[in-house]
Amino acid sequence: MYLKSIAIHGFKSFADKTVLEFLPPDQAGRLPIIGIVGPNGSGKSNTADAVRWVLGEQSVKAVRGKKSADVIFAGSGRRARAALAEVELTLINDDGRIPLETPEVVIARRLYRDGQSEYLLNNRSARLMDIQMLLARAAFGKEGYSVIGQGQIDQILTATAEERKTFFDEATGVRPLQLKKEHSLKKLALTEENLWQAQLLSAELAPRLKSLTRQVKRLEQREELERELHETQRQYYGTLLEQNEKEYRRFYDAIVARQEECAPRMKELRGLEEEMRRLEKTETKPAELLKIQAAYEKLIARKQERRDREFELKRKVLETKKDASAVPTHEIVATLEGIKTELHAMLVPPPHPSLREGRDHSSPTRGEEDQKIPPPLVGGVRGGVEDLVRAIFSTVSDLLARLKGENTPKQTAALTRELETIALELQNVDQELERLRVELQKVGLAAEEKKQSFFEIQKKLGSKQAEVHAIEKKLGEARIELAKVETRRDALDQEARLELADRYEMIRASVSDLHPNPAALLPEIQRIKRQLESIGAIDEETVKEYKEVKERYDFLQSQISDLTSSLKALVELLEELDQTIKTQFESSFEKINQEFGNYFKILFGGGAARLSKIVEQRAESIEQRVSDTEQEALSPKPLALSHPPSLLDKFTKKDTYRGVDIAATPPGKKLKSIAMLSGGEKALTSIALLSAILALNPPPFVILDEVDAALDESNSARFAAILAELGSRAQFIVITHNRATMQACEVLYGVTMGDDGVSKILSLKLTEAASAISSP
């Protein structure tokens, strides 16, 4: 890798765009030494400042300015000021030291007067950090020894040990590793902070998530119970609805069957009823029978009237008896016999003609006699029973009164005579009734034959009515049962709709998986309902909040896991980097130390010089001296939300070198400090140190700005010899006034400045100039 060109536009005195193009290596791979010469104030050192600036220098003082705008051409009496400053370096990346897949790498920096700036990498915007990492991998940059500015050669010696640290870090080649370590430490700090924040948020969410998880688990349990309840209700109500439907169809079919069975019988019954009505219309009672019946009923009424009067008189007789003598036994017997006779006469109806015929054939039963008594006669007998009972009650009351001696015999004789008259009348009525009974039997026998067909039809009608009534009874029972089923169905439907809601129609439409004993499911349904009641209702917003909190918590746990893994990886990387830096620094530092002594002897013709590390010793704390267990016991317990100890302490708070001390003793002198060296001795010592570093770890190019200004001719010759020796290892660009140094250069760039205050470049190849001079 080498520097192909430097393009400067608007930077300090280079108002116009100026390009310094450098020769490629020769066939042996050796790059020519390039010299930049010119009078004082011409602007030749501005080229070194431009290179330092484009490589990312942030200190304006390091490029000999006070503010950022000082690097932009400020103008002159003849030229206006520039609007921006731009520097562009073109590097040939043939060895791939810069990890980019391009043969040329162009690094540019622009600064505008409004303060805006930008970095470009291959004409694309880039970050300064990215550019610095690329340059560090290529072993050069704004710091270190790639660009040694005017007056900086002595600064290596005059600087403190801590200030030399950066210089030697780059010299030993550990600067890229240290940049990587610094970047890793920043990432470690950021990762720790993010991890702590994530753990803090996770700790805050954990109690809420735990509470929400319990509620959601209850909801899941509730959902499981609801599914179980729905399935059990489906079987329960599905089975009941299906059984009810089957029972309804069974009774409905039974009603239809009974109706079909009853229809022909009803038709027959209506026919018989029509025949009965026809017979009833054609049948007429004989006038003689009606006359006898009327006379018979009249006598019955007369007899009843006399009986009532007789009972009333007997009661009065008993009431009027006032003496307390005992009633003769024969009188009591006679009274009771009279009551018995009257009762027998009233209760035994007159004989019907059918009775006489029955006596001729067979003795009918009491029920058959009652059925054959003509309706008017039966009604008359029954009508006088109540009067007879009242009369008997009156007689018995009188008799009791007499027995008790409560009545007097004052009107007894008159009442007795009237009683005898009534008894005679009753005897005549009984004889007349007997005669009418005989006549009724004769007339009824003739009418009986005519009504025989009526009775037969009536019998059929009764039989048919019995059949119809039996069927209608069964039909009524079926209708009652059907009504009960419908009532149960309505109640079941209402209950099922209330319990099943939207699922009712679905269960109603498709009934399957019937349960053999649905009654056994009811306790299970009640048990599930009790469990659901104990769980209670869960707000839907709780589920939404649970999902949000769970998602956030899982995300934080994932981030914590990733951050923990990253933290572990960073710790491993930092440990590896520390070990690599330590090993590489120790090895390279020892080699630089040896070369420094050799070059010091070359430049001084003897003497001794050495480098030594200054290691910072940190006091060991009590916690570091005790064991982990003792430390944990002695350390206060951190609060739950306190920030944990940082892992940065592991890589920062430990023994490390803080700088490099330089000791130099020219021949014939015994000095205790390099501060006692003269200006020339300091310059030679710095050149010896720089040569040692370049011999061990040369950068792609080195720009030296008047580092030989303090050297005399002999020492300048020695410096030129060293440049010639090191020229095979790196590309040297030397800004000088020294002739010996110019003679070592193969290409010279002359810098001049006109009246307009603008620097200009002139180039000359010394080999071509020598050939031109030697030729005639």
Side-chain angles (χ1 to χ4, degrees), residues 8-270:
I8 307 173
H9 182 206
F11 185 84
K12 289 191 172 182
S13 60
F14 289 94
D16 298 326
K17 186 174 182 179
T18 302
V19 180
L20 285 78
E21 294 184 354
F22 306 116
L23 295 177
D26 57 15
Q27 293 181 355
R30 185 179 181 277
L31 289 164
I33 299 175
I34 299 168
I36 299 177
V37 298
N40 292 331
S42 61
K44 58 183 180 298
S45 293
N46 289 340
T47 57
D49 293 339
V51 174
R52 180 183 292 275
W53 185 73
V54 75
L55 293 179
E57 180 60 66
Q58 299 299 305
S59 173
V60 180
K61 186 177 180 181
V63 292
R64 299 178 300 159
K66 293 183 178 180
K67 55 183 179 179
S68 298
D70 290 344
V71 302
I72 304 176
F73 178 69
S76 64
R78 296 183 179 183
R79 291 291 299 269
R81 66 178 185 173
L84 79 160
E86 181 179 8
V87 179
E88 183 180 283
L89 293 184
T90 302
L91 299 167
I92 300 300
N93 189 30
D94 53 358
D95 57 357
R97 293 179 71 170
I98 296 178
L100 295 175
E101 296 179 358
T102 55
E104 289 187 358
V105 177
V106 180
I107 300 172
R109 181 180 181 181
R110 293 172 185 167
L111 176 65
Y112 300 89
R113 284 202 175 273
D114 60 1
Q116 294 184 359
S117 65
E118 60 179 339
Y119 290 88
L120 300 174
L121 182 63
N122 290 338
N123 296 321
R124 293 183 179 180
S125 179
R127 298 183 304 171
L128 174 60
M129 183 179 66
D130 296 334
I131 294 177
Q132 287 178 341
M133 287 297 297
L134 291 175
L135 298 179
R137 292 179 182 179
F140 70 98
K142 66 181 181 65
E143 299 175 347
Y145 53 91
S146 294
V147 180
I148 304 297
Q150 188 174 355
Q152 290 181 344
I153 189 65
D154 293 340
Q155 290 179 1
I156 301 175
L157 298 181
T158 59
T160 64
E162 289 80 3
E163 292 173 345
R164 297 189 194 112
K165 182 179 183 299
T166 302
F167 183 83
F168 279 95
D169 286 343
E170 189 166 346
T172 55
V174 299
R175 184 58 182 165
L177 298 176
Q178 287 184 336
L179 290 175
K180 189 174 183 179
K181 179 182 177 180
E182 292 175 2
H183 181 65
S184 298
L185 287 174
K186 291 179 181 178
K187 288 181 65 177
L188 180 65
L190 182 61
T191 302
E192 282 187 327
E193 183 65 24
N194 291 336
L195 178 60
W196 182 71
Q197 292 291 340
Q199 289 174 339
L200 184 63
L201 292 174
S202 178
E204 291 177 356
L205 289 176
R208 181 57 180 164
L209 179 62
K210 186 176 181 181
S211 175
L212 291 173
T213 301
R214 287 196 300 267
Q215 297 184 46
V216 171
K217 284 184 178 180
R218 290 175 58 195
L219 177 60
E220 292 175 353
Q221 183 182 3
R222 181 181 182 84
E223 290 176 351
E224 181 64 27
L225 288 173
E226 285 179 348
R227 284 193 294 270
E228 184 180 357
L229 177 63
H230 291 170
E231 177 61 22
T232 308
Q233 286 179 333
R234 184 189 67 79
Q235 292 186 358
Y236 177 71
Y237 288 107
T239 303
L240 290 181
L241 289 170
E242 183 64 18
Q243 289 179 349
N244 184 273
E245 186 64 25
K246 289 181 179 179
E247 191 175 10
Y248 179 85
R249 286 196 297 267
R250 180 167 63 84
F251 285 111
Y252 181 81
D253 293 341
I255 290 174
V256 173
R258 294 291 181 270
Q259 289 177 343
E260 292 176 352
E261 182 182 1
C262 186
R265 290 173 173 76
M266 287 295 297
K267 185 176 180 181
E268 295 178 4
L269 181 62
R270 285 193 293 270

Side-chain angles (χ1 to χ4, degrees), residues 432-446:
E432 184 64 23
L433 285 174
E434 181 63 24
R435 184 183 65 79
L436 290 175
R437 288 193 190 99
V438 174
E439 291 182 0
L440 281 173
Q441 288 177 354
K442 292 180 180 179
V443 175
L445 183 61

Side-chain angles (χ1 to χ4, degrees), residues 275-464:
E275 182 68 18
M276 284 287 294
R277 285 192 293 271
R278 186 182 62 79
L279 290 175
E280 287 176 354
K281 290 179 181 180
T282 56
E283 181 183 2
T284 57
K285 293 184 178 181
E288 186 179 358
L289 181 59
L290 294 176
K291 183 179 179 181
I292 295 172
Q293 284 182 347
Y296 188 85
E297 291 174 0
K298 185 177 181 180
L299 288 175
I300 288 298
R302 175 63 180 171
K303 182 178 180 181
Q304 184 62 39
E305 181 184 356
R306 294 289 88 195
R307 287 294 185 185
D308 292 342
R309 180 58 182 168
E310 183 180 18
F311 291 149
E312 181 67 20
L313 293 174
K314 289 179 178 181
R315 184 182 64 81
K316 289 181 179 182
V317 170
L318 294 175
E319 288 178 355
T320 54
K321 184 178 181 181
K322 295 180 180 180
D323 57 307
S325 59
V327 180
T329 302
H330 65 88
E331 186 176 346
I332 294 173
V333 173
T335 302
L336 293 177
E337 286 292 338
I339 293 172
K340 179 180 178 181
T341 302
E342 291 174 358
L343 288 175
H344 184 269
M346 294 302 294
L347 292 176
V348 177
H352 193 272
S354 60
L355 295 178
R356 184 177 301 172
E357 183 180 357
R359 292 190 191 101
D360 297 336
H361 300 284
S362 62
S363 298
T365 63
R366 178 62 178 248
E368 291 175 347
E369 284 184 349
D370 293 339
Q371 290 179 359
K372 293 181 180 181
I373 295 174
L377 183 60
V378 174
V381 174
R382 289 179 180 175
V385 171
E386 293 182 0
D387 296 335
L388 178 61
V389 170
R390 285 194 296 269
I392 293 173
F393 177 78
S394 178
T395 303
V396 172
S397 298
D398 292 341
L399 180 59
L400 289 174
R402 290 183 61 193
L403 290 174
K404 293 178 181 180
E406 297 175 354
N407 293 335
T408 59
K410 183 177 182 180
Q411 297 176 349
T412 302
L415 293 174
T416 302
R417 287 192 299 270
E418 187 174 355
L419 284 172
E420 293 176 353
T421 303
I422 291 173
L424 183 60
E425 290 179 0
L426 289 174
Q427 185 177 1
N428 295 331
V429 170
D430 289 338
Q431 293 177 356
E432 184 64 23
L433 285 174
E434 181 63 24
R435 184 183 65 79
L436 290 175
R437 288 193 190 99
V438 174
E439 291 182 0
L440 281 173
Q441 288 177 354
K442 292 180 180 179
V443 175
L445 183 61
E448 187 67 22
E449 293 176 357
K450 295 180 180 180
K451 292 183 179 180
Q452 187 66 32
S453 60
F454 178 81
F455 291 140
E456 291 178 358
I457 295 173
Q458 189 177 27
K459 183 177 180 180
K460 290 180 181 179
L461 182 61
S463 176
K464 192 60 64 177

